[in-house]
Amino acid sequence: TAVGGPRIDDRLLCRVCPAAPEALDLALRELLDVHVLEPDAEDRGYVFRHALTAEAVYDDALPGERVRLHAAFARALVEDPDLATAGGALAAVERAQHWHRARNTTEALPAWVEAATAAERVHAHPEALAAYENALELWPTIEGAEALSGLDEAELMRRTAEAAYHAGMLARGLALAQNAFALLDERDEWLRAAVLAERLGRYSWAS
């Protein structure tokens, strides 16, 4: 349960738990009786009564166990996005987080880009920035990152810079835009270079 996050849907828990439904129900009943877990506000899942308990349970899991469980959660959320803790952009973030913690970088990279674009659509700029930053962190570690993400590195940096600007992280946005500009060939990619030049001016003025 702790691997699933602060709140977990009962259907999602049943999907990823290898135990038989009867055994799972018995274990959950015991955890409810001793007040480790409690039903969530919607009565559709469970939450830990204390956040520190959830952290302790998570830390107590074996490293390989955590990786396998995060991968199982990610696969379940890909198969049925409605099982996510929250809808919309946060559902995409939840999937990306599980792939990332499962150390499946080839799945995590496009998942972070998807999460960032979903956050942008609802103007959740800090969340978009965090997702893009995670994608940038993974980029140099992945062969074929461009094909996996559908972006080249300059475009990923440009999007991250724009998210940083809208999130109020002006210095970070300016630095990212400068790095993106440096990756372009101004002669062959003059239109993209012109757009970035305009953004550089805007970010510099705002700073």
Side-chain angles (χ1 to χ4, degrees):
T1 304
V3 174
R7 173 193 171 276
I8 185 169
D9 189 289
D10 182 69
R11 297 171 302 159
L12 178 57
L13 188 58
C14 290
R15 182 78 66 90
V16 301
C17 183
E22 296 78 8
L24 177 60
D25 287 344
L26 180 61
L28 288 170
R29 170 55 61 189
E30 292 177 357
L31 291 170
L32 290 167
D33 288 343
V34 297
H35 305 295
V36 172
L37 297 180
E38 61 185 11
D40 65 8
E42 298 177 1
D43 205 28
R44 294 177 54 187
Y46 308 95
V47 295
F48 277 90
R49 184 175 288 268
H50 300 291
L52 289 177
T53 304
E55 292 178 16
V57 172
Y58 185 87
D59 291 341
D60 191 54
L62 297 171
E65 183 183 15
R66 286 198 295 265
V67 167
R68 289 189 295 273
L69 285 170
H70 279 300
F73 276 106
R75 287 192 295 269
L77 292 173
V78 169
E79 293 167 3
D80 188 353
D82 290 339
L83 296 178
T85 301
L90 292 179
V93 170
E94 189 174 342
R95 289 194 299 274
Q97 286 175 336
H98 282 302
W99 284 127
H100 197 109
R101 291 172 182 169
R103 301 175 189 168
N104 189 328
T105 55
T106 58
E107 294 286 355
L109 176 63
W112 280 125
V113 173
E114 179 191 354
T117 54
E120 284 177 324
R121 284 196 294 270
V122 295
H123 307 290
H125 301 298
E127 289 76 11
L129 174 59
Y132 277 134
E133 291 278 21
N134 282 322
L136 275 177
E137 180 184 342
L138 291 176
W139 188 276
T141 70
I142 302 173
E143 185 176 351
E146 187 171 327
L148 284 169
S149 65
L151 308 170
D152 62 16
E153 189 175 10
E155 175 62 12
L156 179 58
M157 282 189 179
R158 184 199 69 77
R159 292 189 183 191
T160 311
E162 187 74 357
Y165 169 73
H166 286 295
M169 305 291 289
L170 301 179
R172 179 59 175 158
L174 182 58
L176 285 164
Q178 290 169 335
N179 292 341
F181 192 85
L183 292 174
L184 297 178
D185 185 326
E186 292 182 57
R187 291 171 299 178
D188 293 339
E189 300 179 279
W190 60 269
L191 182 58
R192 294 176 71 192
V195 170
L196 268 171
E198 185 276 332
R199 288 293 187 269
L200 278 169
R202 179 180 299 184
Y203 302 161
S204 296
W205 179 85
S207 297

